[in-house]
Amino acid sequence: MRAKLLTILIAGCFGAGSAMAAEKSVEVVHWWTSGGEAAALQVLKDDMQKRGYTWKDSPVAGGGGDQARTVLRARVAAGNPPDAMQMLGFIITGYAEEGLLGDLSGVANKEGWDKVVPAPLQKFAKYKGHWVASPVNIHRTNWIWANKKIFDELKITPPKTFDELLAAADKLKKAGYIPLAHGGQPWQDATIFDSAVLSAGGPAFYQKAIIDMDKDALSSKTMEKAFEQMQKLHGLLDPNYPNRDWNLATAMVINGKAGMQIMGDWAKGEFLKAGKKPNVDFYCFQYPGTEGSFTFNADQFAMFKVGKEQETGQLTLASAIMDKNFQEAFNLAKGSIPARTDVANTKFDDCGKKSMADLKVAMGKNAMLGSFAHGHAVPEAVKGAMIDVVTNFFNKGGSPAEAAKQLAAAVKNAK
Ligand code: BGC
């Protein structure tokens, strides 16, 4: 009750008058703690510093952000939310619904965000017509990252079909490499599932099953195929995969222990940080059967209503994030592409250029789809129930037909 009261009090502050002097610091909670992520974050920290603000860093380690979201929930309940928080998809909508997020529409309208941010991102950045978050990037989850030297040595070319992927994995295994580097954490298992569903059924099926939550699609033969792929992929892992962090799995590919990793393009940030170059040291290609489609995951920063004295800093951060030059510099390091569609592709590498070109095509044919694993497909409660089924099946095995049925049941119960 007390926590709720505090929350209400805080909620009332954004935009309310206060005579307090502006504090020139902004506290930001995020989960960008890997090498590549930290390098990208540094671009934002430096930018804020140039704008006269001290960056109060509140990192919560844990890829995918589950731990950071738990910390945030506790802080909000205790009446102590940060000035700004890294958020994904439906999480933004949830906090907006609670009335806790500041309105960024003043800055957004002045700067014309409407014209440059793709509609699928605006769906989450806005709440009831008001901007409540500032989008920093567009990540893509249906990627595979591969060690090119190993591929060359074994005369493997990027697989175009799932069977070719298995054949490549077989060659890797026979030559003593781990075919697939993976970290057994629910969000990483779910990241693979994004691709498996898209590959098994194509974009229209992904939309129907994963975004529209259609019960027949969820329990269909096509969904069984997605689980079959998951089962086969599990056979390509090393025994130490449980609970491994995603960036350690990426390091296995970088260091030549493993051939491939299925992961969002934050993995590219790790390759770049290690001084590696696309098409020289590593390959980036679409998970077989998903070429032309784009499962997106966009990081956004939402500002909590913490009081008038922090507002200028918060709005400065929101505006800095949407700055065109910043978006270029940041995304070059992060592995993603800009959230703004008006940034030139010239400075981006081949993977970045491909992502930008593919996004344009995907947007034109309803194939820019929210990543299930990263909270852009279904509300959080449904996502949690679905991830339980996916991760349980992936790690413990079972029948794909049974898993598809369980998935449909889990969605029905959680809706
Ligand atoms: C975020 C990325 C981050 C990744 C791994 C994703 O949920 O959107 O920005 O790099 O998790 O931590």
Side-chain angles (χ1 to χ4, degrees), residues 31-32 34 37 62-65 69 86 88 137 139 187 246 266 297-299 334 374:
W31 61 93
W32 285 337
S34 77
E37 290 173 333
R69 286 188 283 274
Q86 178 187 357
L88 306 174
N137 61 17
H139 273 301
W187 74 271
W246 68 273
W266 42 93
N297 168 31
D299 292 296
K334 187 67 172 66
H374 297 269

Side-chain angles (χ1 to χ4, degrees), residues 52-131:
Y53 285 88
T54 307
W55 179 277
K56 235 177 119 196
D57 201 34
S58 294
V60 183
D66 284 333
Q67 289 87 334
R69 286 188 283 274
T70 304
V71 167
L72 179 69
R73 187 36 75 196
R75 284 189 55 170
V76 168
N80 177 35
D83 299 329
M85 169 78 191
Q86 178 187 357
M87 287 191 195
L88 306 174
F90 281 96
I91 297 280
I92 306 171
T93 314
Y95 280 106
E97 248 160 29
E98 290 181 55
L100 297 171
L101 302 184
D103 189 351
L104 313 176
S105 300
V107 174
N109 294 338
K110 197 170 126 235
E111 297 178 356
W113 296 5
D114 263 315
K115 288 190 252 52
V116 293
V117 175
L121 263 63
Q122 288 196 29
K123 174 180 167 194
F124 299 108
K126 281 181 174 175
Y127 182 69
K128 293 197 171 153
H130 295 271
W131 286 87

Side-chain angles (χ1 to χ4, degrees), residues 162-163 166 227-237:
F162 192 70
D163 283 343
L166 294 178
F227 279 109
E228 272 164 28
Q229 289 194 6
M230 295 292 286
Q231 200 159 48
K232 289 189 176 137
L233 293 171
H234 188 268
L236 312 180
L237 313 183

Side-chain angles (χ1 to χ4, degrees), residues 9-337:
L9 279 175
I10 290 160
C13 278
F14 210 95
S18 155
M20 282 182 74
E23 197 193 306
K24 297 280 274 182
S25 77
V26 182
E27 195 213 353
V28 186
V29 175
H30 62 87
W31 61 93
W32 285 337
T33 56
S34 77
E37 290 173 333
L41 184 66
Q42 194 58 44
V43 182
L44 184 55
K45 288 183 183 170
D46 290 348
D47 195 285
M48 281 302 280
Q49 203 132 16
K50 278 195 208 116
R51 291 169 192 255
Y53 285 88
T54 307
W55 179 277
K56 235 177 119 196
D57 201 34
S58 294
V60 183
D66 284 333
Q67 289 87 334
R69 286 188 283 274
T70 304
V71 167
L72 179 69
R73 187 36 75 196
R75 284 189 55 170
V76 168
N80 177 35
D83 299 329
M85 169 78 191
Q86 178 187 357
M87 287 191 195
L88 306 174
F90 281 96
I91 297 280
I92 306 171
T93 314
Y95 280 106
E97 248 160 29
E98 290 181 55
L100 297 171
L101 302 184
D103 189 351
L104 313 176
S105 300
V107 174
N109 294 338
K110 197 170 126 235
E111 297 178 356
W113 296 5
D114 263 315
K115 288 190 252 52
V116 293
V117 175
L121 263 63
Q122 288 196 29
K123 174 180 167 194
F124 299 108
K126 281 181 174 175
Y127 182 69
K128 293 197 171 153
H130 295 271
W131 286 87
V132 292
S134 188
V136 66
N137 61 17
I138 303 177
H139 273 301
R140 182 182 199 178
T141 61
N142 57 319
W143 282 114
I144 298 187
W145 308 90
N147 183 306
K148 183 168 184 295
K149 300 233 156 89
I150 300 178
F151 267 40
D152 288 349
E153 175 199 315
L154 303 178
K155 301 194 169 43
I156 302 172
T157 51
K160 296 251 182 289
T161 64
F162 192 70
D163 283 343
E164 280 179 32
L165 174 80
L166 294 178
D170 201 42
K171 278 193 189 171
L172 287 161
K173 198 172 190 166
K174 285 196 177 115
Y177 297 107
I178 296 162
L180 193 63
H182 181 70
Q185 295 169 347
W187 74 271
Q188 295 190 57
D189 303 343
T191 300
I192 296 186
F193 191 64
D194 276 3
S195 287
V197 174
L198 193 56
S199 171
F205 175 76
Y206 184 102
Q207 172 75 40
K208 198 167 178 204
I210 302 294
I211 297 177
D212 302 342
M213 299 178 268
D214 178 273
K215 80 172 188 334
D216 296 334
L218 283 163
S219 59
S220 64
K221 287 266 176 240
T222 309
M223 189 56 79
E224 281 180 43
K225 279 196 193 130
F227 279 109
E228 272 164 28
Q229 289 194 6
M230 295 292 286
Q231 200 159 48
K232 289 189 176 137
L233 293 171
H234 188 268
L236 312 180
L237 313 183
D238 67 309
N240 296 325
Y241 84 93
N243 208 29
R244 176 188 286 138
D245 287 330
W246 68 273
N247 54 319
L248 299 183
T250 310
M252 288 163 64
V253 180
I254 294 174
N255 300 332
K257 273 207 163 113
M260 301 178 276
Q261 181 187 21
I262 301 165
M263 189 43 69
D265 40 19
W266 42 93
K268 192 181 84 179
E270 300 304 299
F271 282 95
L272 300 181
K273 187 79 192 10
K276 306 292 182 192
K277 297 205 164 31
N279 293 326
V280 176
D281 305 299
F282 68 94
Y283 276 129
C284 58
F285 52 90
Q286 261 46 74
Y287 183 102
T290 73
E291 187 62 64
S293 296
F294 197 116
T295 36
F296 77 93
N297 168 31
D299 292 296
Q300 309 210 27
F301 284 84
M303 314 296 157
F304 280 91
K305 295 175 180 171
V306 290
K308 187 81 182 159
E309 68 277 10
Q310 285 306 96
E311 254 186 49
T312 317
Q314 292 176 311
L315 295 176
T316 303
L317 176 61
S319 170
I321 286 170
M322 275 297 291
D323 178 272
K324 210 169 152 183
N325 293 329
F326 163 76
Q327 290 239 338
E328 179 181 67
F330 174 88
N331 285 294
L332 283 171
K334 187 67 172 66
S336 38
I337 58 173

